[in-house]
Amino acid sequence: MNTKLKEHAIPLQQSQEPLLKVQNLKKYYPIKKGIISRTVGHVKAVDGLNLDIYPGETVGLVGESGCGKSTTGRAIIHLDPPTAGKVIFKGKDLSTLTGPELRKTRTDLQIIFQDPYSSLNPRKRIGDLLAEPLIHHKLASGDEVHRKVDEMLEIVGLTKFHRNRYPHEFSGGQRQRVGIARALILNPQLIVCDEPVSALDVSIQAQVLNLLKDLQKEFKLTYLFIAHGLGAVKYISDRIAVMYLGKIVELAKTEDMFKNAKHPYSQVLLNAYPIPNPHKRNRDRLVIEGDVPSPANPPKGCSFHTRCPFAQKICSEQTPELAGEDHLAACHFPLS
Ligand code: ADP
Ligand code: MG
Protein backbone atom coordinates (compact mmCIF):
# COMPACT_ATOMS: atom_id res chain seq x y z
CA MET A 1 0.00 0.00 0.00
CA ASN A 2 1.16 3.51 -0.67
CA THR A 3 2.37 6.12 1.77
CA LYS A 4 -0.75 8.24 1.35
CA LEU A 5 -2.39 5.79 3.68
CA LYS A 6 -0.42 7.05 6.65
CA GLU A 7 -2.49 10.20 6.74
CA HIS A 8 -5.63 8.22 7.52
CA ALA A 9 -4.02 5.97 10.06
CA ILE A 10 -5.24 5.98 13.63
CA PRO A 11 -2.75 5.25 16.41
CA LEU A 12 -3.28 1.71 17.70
CA GLN A 13 -4.79 1.66 21.13
CA GLN A 14 -2.49 -0.33 23.33
CA SER A 15 -4.67 -0.51 26.39
CA GLN A 16 -6.59 -3.62 27.25
CA GLU A 17 -9.74 -1.60 27.76
CA PRO A 18 -12.48 -2.57 25.33
CA LEU A 19 -13.07 -0.07 22.55
CA LEU A 20 -16.76 -0.83 22.74
CA LYS A 21 -18.80 -2.36 25.55
CA VAL A 22 -22.32 -3.58 24.92
CA GLN A 23 -24.30 -4.08 28.11
CA ASN A 24 -27.65 -5.84 28.30
CA LEU A 25 -28.63 -4.48 24.89
CA LYS A 26 -32.29 -4.86 23.94
CA LYS A 27 -34.16 -3.89 20.82
CA TYR A 28 -37.88 -4.62 20.72
CA TYR A 29 -40.06 -3.78 17.72
CA PRO A 30 -43.77 -3.25 18.44
CA ILE A 31 -46.26 -5.51 16.62
CA LYS A 32 -49.26 -3.41 15.61
CA LYS A 33 -52.73 -4.73 14.75
CA GLY A 34 -56.09 -3.31 13.70
CA ILE A 35 -57.21 0.02 12.36
CA ILE A 36 -56.06 1.96 15.41
CA SER A 37 -52.65 0.24 15.24
CA ARG A 38 -52.81 -1.18 18.73
CA THR A 39 -49.55 -2.67 19.99
CA VAL A 40 -50.28 -6.34 20.58
CA GLY A 41 -46.77 -7.52 21.38
CA HIS A 42 -43.09 -7.05 20.63
CA VAL A 43 -40.55 -8.72 18.40
CA LYS A 44 -37.62 -9.17 20.75
CA ALA A 45 -34.99 -8.84 18.02
CA VAL A 46 -32.16 -8.35 20.52
CA ASP A 47 -32.86 -9.42 24.07
CA GLY A 48 -30.10 -8.87 26.59
CA LEU A 49 -26.86 -8.95 24.64
CA ASN A 50 -23.48 -8.41 26.30
CA LEU A 51 -20.25 -8.08 24.34
CA ASP A 52 -16.88 -6.35 24.70
CA ILE A 53 -14.96 -5.52 21.53
CA TYR A 54 -11.24 -4.75 21.86
CA PRO A 55 -9.23 -2.32 19.74
CA GLY A 56 -7.92 -3.85 16.52
CA GLU A 57 -9.81 -7.12 16.73
CA THR A 58 -12.50 -8.65 14.55
CA VAL A 59 -15.44 -10.21 16.31
CA GLY A 60 -17.54 -12.42 14.06
CA LEU A 61 -21.26 -12.43 14.85
CA VAL A 62 -23.01 -15.48 13.42
CA GLY A 63 -26.43 -17.06 13.56
CA GLU A 64 -29.39 -18.03 11.40
CA SER A 65 -31.30 -15.41 9.49
CA GLY A 66 -33.67 -13.47 11.77
CA CYS A 67 -31.74 -14.05 15.00
CA GLY A 68 -31.03 -10.33 15.43
CA LYS A 69 -27.56 -9.79 13.96
CA SER A 70 -28.35 -6.75 11.83
CA THR A 71 -30.44 -5.23 14.59
CA THR A 72 -27.48 -5.67 16.93
CA GLY A 73 -25.14 -4.03 14.42
CA ARG A 74 -27.42 -1.06 13.92
CA ALA A 75 -28.09 -0.64 17.64
CA ILE A 76 -24.38 -0.80 18.44
CA ILE A 77 -23.66 2.25 16.32
CA HIS A 78 -26.94 3.87 17.39
CA LEU A 79 -28.16 3.97 13.81
CA ASP A 80 -31.28 2.53 15.36
CA PRO A 81 -31.33 3.44 19.07
CA PRO A 82 -31.70 0.51 21.48
CA THR A 83 -34.84 -0.10 23.56
CA ALA A 84 -32.70 -0.73 26.63
CA GLY A 85 -29.12 -1.36 27.65
CA LYS A 86 -25.94 0.57 27.08
CA VAL A 87 -23.34 0.92 24.38
CA ILE A 88 -20.13 2.38 25.78
CA PHE A 89 -17.59 3.57 23.22
CA LYS A 90 -14.16 4.58 24.52
CA GLY A 91 -15.59 4.85 28.04
CA LYS A 92 -18.56 7.01 27.08
CA ASP A 93 -22.20 5.97 27.01
CA LEU A 94 -23.39 6.71 23.46
CA SER A 95 -26.86 7.73 24.59
CA THR A 96 -25.44 10.57 26.70
CA LEU A 97 -23.31 12.15 23.94
CA THR A 98 -24.30 15.53 22.49
CA GLY A 99 -22.82 18.28 20.32
CA PRO A 100 -19.30 17.90 18.90
CA GLU A 101 -18.67 14.69 20.85
CA LEU A 102 -21.70 13.05 19.26
CA ARG A 103 -20.69 14.26 15.79
CA LYS A 104 -17.17 12.89 16.22
CA THR A 105 -18.50 9.54 17.43
CA ARG A 106 -20.83 9.32 14.42
CA THR A 107 -17.75 9.32 12.21
CA ASP A 108 -15.88 6.87 14.46
CA LEU A 109 -18.61 4.23 14.12
CA GLN A 110 -19.42 3.15 10.57
CA ILE A 111 -21.32 0.36 8.84
CA ILE A 112 -20.91 -1.56 5.59
CA PHE A 113 -24.08 -3.22 4.28
CA GLN A 114 -24.63 -6.53 2.53
CA ASP A 115 -26.12 -4.88 -0.51
CA PRO A 116 -24.31 -1.65 -1.33
CA TYR A 117 -26.71 -1.11 -4.23
CA SER A 118 -29.57 -0.29 -1.89
CA SER A 119 -27.39 1.93 0.29
CA LEU A 120 -25.90 3.92 -2.61
CA ASN A 121 -28.11 6.51 -4.30
CA PRO A 122 -28.34 5.26 -7.94
CA ARG A 123 -28.63 8.81 -9.30
CA LYS A 124 -25.36 9.99 -7.88
CA ARG A 125 -21.88 9.59 -9.26
CA ILE A 126 -19.39 7.62 -7.19
CA GLY A 127 -17.29 10.74 -6.60
CA ASP A 128 -20.27 12.57 -5.13
CA LEU A 129 -21.29 9.59 -3.04
CA LEU A 130 -17.84 9.59 -1.46
CA ALA A 131 -17.63 13.37 -1.13
CA GLU A 132 -21.00 13.57 0.63
CA PRO A 133 -19.97 12.22 4.05
CA LEU A 134 -16.77 14.31 4.00
CA ILE A 135 -18.71 17.49 3.37
CA HIS A 136 -21.56 16.58 5.72
CA HIS A 137 -19.14 16.04 8.61
CA LYS A 138 -17.03 19.03 7.58
CA LEU A 139 -13.90 16.89 7.29
CA ALA A 140 -12.73 18.49 4.05
CA SER A 141 -13.58 21.33 1.71
CA GLY A 142 -12.70 22.57 -1.80
CA ASP A 143 -10.00 20.69 -3.68
CA GLU A 144 -9.21 18.62 -0.64
CA VAL A 145 -12.51 16.78 -1.08
CA HIS A 146 -11.53 15.64 -4.60
CA ARG A 147 -8.06 14.69 -3.46
CA LYS A 148 -9.41 12.57 -0.61
CA VAL A 149 -12.02 10.93 -2.82
CA ASP A 150 -9.42 9.98 -5.46
CA GLU A 151 -7.10 8.69 -2.79
CA MET A 152 -9.83 6.61 -1.20
CA LEU A 153 -10.82 5.12 -4.56
CA GLU A 154 -7.26 3.89 -4.95
CA ILE A 155 -7.10 2.58 -1.41
CA VAL A 156 -10.09 0.30 -2.03
CA GLY A 157 -8.70 -0.93 -5.35
CA LEU A 158 -10.58 1.36 -7.76
CA THR A 159 -9.14 4.32 -9.67
CA LYS A 160 -9.87 8.02 -9.87
CA PHE A 161 -11.38 7.40 -13.29
CA HIS A 162 -14.29 5.66 -11.53
CA ARG A 163 -15.24 8.96 -9.94
CA ASN A 164 -17.69 9.96 -12.67
CA ARG A 165 -19.45 6.62 -12.94
CA TYR A 166 -22.81 5.66 -11.48
CA PRO A 167 -23.39 2.69 -9.13
CA HIS A 168 -25.14 0.63 -11.86
CA GLU A 169 -21.99 0.74 -13.98
CA PHE A 170 -20.12 -1.28 -11.37
CA SER A 171 -19.97 -5.00 -10.66
CA GLY A 172 -21.12 -6.30 -7.26
CA GLY A 173 -17.57 -6.51 -5.98
CA GLN A 174 -16.75 -2.99 -7.16
CA ARG A 175 -19.91 -1.64 -5.57
CA GLN A 176 -18.94 -3.20 -2.28
CA ARG A 177 -15.56 -1.49 -2.65
CA VAL A 178 -17.45 1.80 -2.94
CA GLY A 179 -19.46 0.88 0.17
CA ILE A 180 -16.21 0.24 2.01
CA ALA A 181 -14.71 3.51 0.74
CA ARG A 182 -17.75 5.43 1.92
CA ALA A 183 -17.34 4.05 5.44
CA LEU A 184 -13.57 4.41 5.47
CA ILE A 185 -13.40 7.97 4.18
CA LEU A 186 -14.60 9.24 7.57
CA ASN A 187 -11.55 7.71 9.24
CA PRO A 188 -13.59 5.50 11.60
CA GLN A 189 -12.37 3.32 14.44
CA LEU A 190 -15.02 0.62 14.43
CA ILE A 191 -16.86 -0.71 11.40
CA VAL A 192 -19.89 -2.97 11.58
CA CYS A 193 -19.61 -5.18 8.49
CA ASP A 194 -23.14 -6.55 7.98
CA GLU A 195 -22.74 -9.59 5.71
CA PRO A 196 -20.49 -7.61 3.36
CA VAL A 197 -19.67 -10.56 1.11
CA SER A 198 -22.85 -12.68 1.36
CA ALA A 199 -24.32 -11.25 -1.86
CA LEU A 200 -21.11 -11.56 -3.89
CA ASP A 201 -19.94 -14.34 -6.19
CA VAL A 202 -17.74 -16.80 -4.35
CA SER A 203 -14.77 -15.82 -6.51
CA ILE A 204 -15.16 -12.17 -5.48
CA GLN A 205 -15.78 -12.85 -1.79
CA ALA A 206 -12.13 -13.63 -1.05
CA GLN A 207 -10.96 -10.42 -2.73
CA VAL A 208 -13.28 -8.27 -0.66
CA LEU A 209 -12.37 -10.15 2.53
CA ASN A 210 -8.69 -9.64 1.80
CA LEU A 211 -9.29 -5.96 1.20
CA LEU A 212 -11.06 -5.68 4.56
CA LYS A 213 -8.15 -7.49 6.23
CA ASP A 214 -5.55 -5.22 4.61
CA LEU A 215 -7.48 -2.09 5.52
CA GLN A 216 -7.82 -3.26 9.10
CA LYS A 217 -4.05 -3.56 9.44
CA GLU A 218 -3.34 -0.31 7.67
CA PHE A 219 -5.88 1.80 9.51
CA LYS A 220 -5.95 -0.07 12.84
CA LEU A 221 -9.65 -0.77 12.43
CA THR A 222 -11.87 -2.78 14.72
CA TYR A 223 -14.59 -4.88 13.08
CA LEU A 224 -17.84 -6.46 14.10
CA PHE A 225 -18.22 -8.87 11.20
CA ILE A 226 -21.74 -10.22 10.75
CA ALA A 227 -22.47 -13.38 8.74
CA HIS A 228 -25.04 -16.17 8.72
CA GLY A 229 -22.49 -18.90 8.14
CA LEU A 230 -19.08 -19.62 9.53
CA GLY A 231 -17.07 -19.67 6.29
CA ALA A 232 -16.04 -16.02 5.94
CA VAL A 233 -16.13 -15.51 9.68
CA LYS A 234 -13.56 -18.23 10.24
CA TYR A 235 -11.21 -16.52 7.85
CA ILE A 236 -11.48 -13.00 9.20
CA SER A 237 -12.38 -13.19 12.92
CA ASP A 238 -10.21 -13.25 16.03
CA ARG A 239 -13.20 -14.19 18.12
CA ILE A 240 -16.63 -15.54 17.24
CA ALA A 241 -19.94 -14.80 18.93
CA VAL A 242 -22.78 -17.18 18.10
CA MET A 243 -26.22 -15.63 18.34
CA TYR A 244 -29.58 -17.34 18.76
CA LEU A 245 -32.92 -15.53 19.16
CA GLY A 246 -31.52 -12.19 20.26
CA LYS A 247 -28.83 -13.48 22.59
CA ILE A 248 -25.21 -14.57 22.40
CA VAL A 249 -25.08 -18.26 23.25
CA GLU A 250 -21.33 -18.80 22.82
CA LEU A 251 -18.27 -16.58 22.57
CA ALA A 252 -14.75 -17.84 21.99
CA LYS A 253 -11.52 -17.34 20.09
CA THR A 254 -12.01 -18.53 16.52
CA GLU A 255 -9.73 -21.54 16.94
CA ASP A 256 -11.42 -22.62 20.18
CA MET A 257 -14.84 -22.30 18.60
CA PHE A 258 -13.90 -24.57 15.71
CA LYS A 259 -11.99 -27.09 17.82
CA ASN A 260 -14.22 -27.18 20.81
CA ALA A 261 -17.65 -25.62 20.47
CA LYS A 262 -19.56 -25.99 23.73
CA HIS A 263 -23.06 -24.98 22.78
CA PRO A 264 -25.04 -27.54 20.76
CA TYR A 265 -26.29 -24.73 18.52
CA SER A 266 -22.75 -23.61 17.66
CA GLN A 267 -21.94 -27.20 16.85
CA VAL A 268 -24.89 -27.33 14.48
CA LEU A 269 -23.66 -24.20 12.71
CA LEU A 270 -20.18 -25.72 12.45
CA ASN A 271 -21.67 -28.83 10.89
CA ALA A 272 -22.77 -26.72 7.96
CA TYR A 273 -19.05 -26.52 7.17
CA PRO A 274 -18.03 -30.10 7.89
CA ILE A 275 -14.37 -30.75 8.53
CA PRO A 276 -13.64 -34.48 8.61
CA ASN A 277 -12.50 -35.40 12.09
CA PRO A 278 -12.63 -39.08 13.05
CA HIS A 279 -12.20 -38.24 16.76
CA LYS A 280 -15.33 -36.15 16.96
CA ARG A 281 -17.80 -38.39 15.23
CA ASN A 282 -20.73 -37.64 17.51
CA ARG A 283 -20.32 -33.91 17.38
CA ASP A 284 -20.03 -33.94 13.61
CA ARG A 285 -23.31 -35.79 13.27
CA LEU A 286 -25.26 -33.27 15.31
CA VAL A 287 -28.27 -32.00 13.40
CA ILE A 288 -31.37 -30.10 14.45
CA GLU A 289 -34.79 -29.85 12.93
CA GLY A 290 -37.41 -27.16 12.72
CA ASP A 291 -37.26 -23.43 12.26
CA VAL A 292 -36.12 -20.75 14.64
CA PRO A 293 -39.02 -19.97 17.01
CA SER A 294 -40.59 -16.52 16.67
CA PRO A 295 -38.69 -13.75 18.45
CA ALA A 296 -42.14 -12.36 19.35
CA ASN A 297 -42.68 -15.37 21.56
CA PRO A 298 -39.33 -16.96 22.43
CA PRO A 299 -39.37 -20.25 24.38
CA LYS A 300 -38.97 -20.02 28.16
CA GLY A 301 -35.72 -21.11 29.79
CA CYS A 302 -32.99 -21.74 27.22
CA SER A 303 -34.48 -20.43 23.98
CA PHE A 304 -32.76 -23.24 22.07
CA HIS A 305 -34.32 -26.06 24.13
CA THR A 306 -37.16 -26.67 21.65
CA ARG A 307 -34.62 -27.76 19.02
CA CYS A 308 -31.83 -29.09 21.19
CA PRO A 309 -31.11 -32.84 21.04
CA PHE A 310 -29.71 -32.74 24.60
CA ALA A 311 -32.45 -30.72 26.31
CA GLN A 312 -33.50 -31.79 29.84
CA LYS A 313 -36.24 -30.48 32.13
CA ILE A 314 -34.13 -27.62 33.52
CA CYS A 315 -33.56 -26.26 30.00
CA SER A 316 -37.22 -25.32 29.65
CA GLU A 317 -37.28 -23.73 33.11
CA GLN A 318 -34.07 -21.76 33.63
CA THR A 319 -32.28 -19.45 31.23
CA PRO A 320 -28.60 -20.42 31.27
CA GLU A 321 -26.10 -17.59 31.85
CA LEU A 322 -23.32 -16.90 29.36
CA ALA A 323 -20.56 -18.27 31.60
CA GLY A 324 -16.85 -19.07 31.43
CA GLU A 325 -13.53 -17.23 31.38
CA ASP A 326 -12.14 -17.00 27.84
CA HIS A 327 -14.59 -19.38 26.25
CA LEU A 328 -18.14 -18.53 27.25
CA ALA A 329 -21.27 -20.59 26.65
CA ALA A 330 -24.87 -20.26 27.75
CA CYS A 331 -25.83 -23.91 28.17
CA HIS A 332 -26.88 -26.15 31.10
CA PHE A 333 -25.16 -29.14 29.47
CA PRO A 334 -22.23 -27.82 27.42
CA LEU A 335 -20.47 -30.27 25.08
CA SER A 336 -17.09 -31.35 26.35
P1 ADP B 1 -30.64 -11.06 11.11
O1 ADP B 1 -29.80 -9.88 10.69
O2 ADP B 1 -29.94 -11.95 12.09
O3 ADP B 1 -31.19 -11.83 9.97
P2 ADP B 1 -32.50 -9.01 12.01
O4 ADP B 1 -31.76 -8.26 13.05
O5 ADP B 1 -32.62 -8.40 10.68
O6 ADP B 1 -31.90 -10.49 11.92
O7 ADP B 1 -33.99 -9.29 12.54
C1 ADP B 1 -34.26 -9.84 13.82
C2 ADP B 1 -35.76 -9.89 14.01
O8 ADP B 1 -36.28 -8.58 14.12
C3 ADP B 1 -36.51 -10.56 12.87
O9 ADP B 1 -37.58 -11.30 13.41
C4 ADP B 1 -37.02 -9.37 12.06
O10 ADP B 1 -38.20 -9.71 11.38
C5 ADP B 1 -37.26 -8.33 13.14
N1 ADP B 1 -37.07 -6.95 12.66
C6 ADP B 1 -35.92 -6.42 12.15
N2 ADP B 1 -36.08 -5.13 11.83
C7 ADP B 1 -37.36 -4.83 12.14
C8 ADP B 1 -38.17 -3.64 12.06
N3 ADP B 1 -37.65 -2.50 11.58
N4 ADP B 1 -39.46 -3.71 12.47
C9 ADP B 1 -39.98 -4.86 12.94
N5 ADP B 1 -39.28 -6.01 13.06
C10 ADP B 1 -38.00 -5.99 12.68
MG1 MG C 1 -29.19 -9.31 8.75
Side-chain angles (χ1 to χ4, degrees):
M1 287 213 173
N2 60 34
T3 49
K4 286 180 199 161
L5 292 172
K6 295 265 156 42
E7 205 179 307
H8 294 268
I10 306 147
L12 180 62
Q13 311 207 1
Q14 298 293 351
S15 73
Q16 278 309 295
E17 274 298 295
L19 180 66
L20 189 101
K21 284 170 89 76
V22 183
Q23 296 177 338
N24 200 20
L25 186 77
K26 293 182 182 176
K27 181 73 193 186
Y28 293 178
Y29 295 108
I31 305 167
K32 308 250 187 209
K33 282 245 168 78
I35 39 171
I36 55 162
S37 272
R38 203 161 46 94
T39 300
V40 294
H42 287 92
V43 173
K44 297 174 177 170
V46 181
D47 198 17
L49 185 138
N50 294 290
L51 179 65
D52 288 348
I53 304 178
Y54 290 87
E57 75 167 338
T58 298
V59 176
L61 186 63
V62 294
E64 278 161 291
S65 178
C67 72
K69 304 178 299 292
S70 295
T71 305
T72 302
R74 288 197 306 266
I76 279 179
I77 64 166
H78 274 221
L79 194 63
D80 204 0
T83 307
K86 278 186 185 165
V87 180
I88 297 170
F89 177 66
K90 299 211 289 183
K92 300 232 166 99
D93 183 344
L94 285 188
S95 66
T96 65
L97 297 182
T98 53
E101 226 175 8
L102 177 65
R103 284 199 292 277
K104 171 75 178 77
T105 306
R106 285 212 190 286
T107 65
D108 283 338
L109 303 172
Q110 290 297 312
I111 188 161
I112 300 169
F113 297 100
Q114 172 176 351
D115 176 12
Y117 205 45
S118 60
S119 62
L120 298 173
N121 186 337
R123 291 168 205 273
K124 291 200 171 161
R125 292 172 200 271
I126 298 306
D128 295 330
L129 286 168
L130 293 184
E132 232 166 39
L134 278 179
I135 296 165
H136 177 79
H137 290 281
K138 300 191 174 75
L139 294 179
S141 59
D143 284 351
E144 204 192 351
V145 174
H146 292 292
R147 194 178 55 77
K148 285 204 167 179
V149 166
D150 288 352
E151 201 178 294
M152 191 47 70
L153 284 169
E154 269 183 39
I155 287 168
V156 298
L158 299 168
T159 72
K160 62 182 176 189
F161 303 108
H162 289 109
R163 204 201 307 142
N164 293 322
R165 305 247 184 104
Y166 290 92
H168 74 265
E169 296 178 71
F170 285 79
S171 68
Q174 284 176 321
R175 268 201 297 269
Q176 193 53 288
R177 287 174 194 268
V178 176
I180 293 168
R182 212 170 125 95
L184 202 65
I185 205 159
L186 291 172
N187 202 5
Q189 300 201 17
L190 183 134
I191 303 182
V192 172
C193 307
D194 191 357
E195 309 222 23
V197 300
S198 305
L200 302 177
D201 287 348
V202 176
S203 59
I204 308 295
Q205 288 187 2
Q207 292 175 16
V208 173
L209 282 177
N210 282 330
L211 173 67
L212 286 169
K213 267 193 157 182
D214 288 346
L215 295 171
Q216 175 168 47
K217 245 200 221 152
E218 204 65 47
F219 298 125
K220 314 287 183 267
L221 296 165
T222 305
Y223 290 150
L224 179 69
F225 189 97
I226 297 172
H228 58 263
L230 280 154
V233 158
K234 182 182 187 184
Y235 178 67
I236 202 164
S237 309
D238 300 298
R239 289 191 299 150
I240 294 179
V242 175
M243 204 170 164
Y244 189 77
L245 275 182
K247 289 186 173 73
I248 290 177
V249 296
E250 184 157 4
L251 176 65
K253 288 206 180 97
T254 302
E255 208 191 326
D256 291 346
M257 186 68 83
F258 276 85
K259 270 199 191 143
N260 191 23
K262 290 184 177 174
H263 198 288
Y265 180 63
S266 311
Q267 195 55 48
V268 170
L269 284 186
L270 289 169
N271 281 358
Y273 294 88
I275 304 159
N277 184 344
H279 306 296
K280 290 187 181 168
R281 207 165 275 276
N282 292 332
R283 281 167 171 260
D284 283 353
R285 283 228 190 105
L286 201 55
V287 282
I288 53 167
E289 281 165 11
D291 293 328
V292 189
S294 163
N297 191 15
K300 290 215 165 53
C302 170
S303 53
F304 185 59
H305 85 263
T306 54
R307 299 167 84 195
C308 181
F310 308 116
Q312 307 281 321
K313 192 160 172 282
I314 187 178
C315 304
S316 60
E317 297 166 349
Q318 273 180 36
T319 307
E321 295 284 323
L322 187 62
E325 296 240 321
D326 284 340
H327 189 149
L328 294 88
C331 180
H332 291 298
F333 303 100
L335 303 167
S336 56

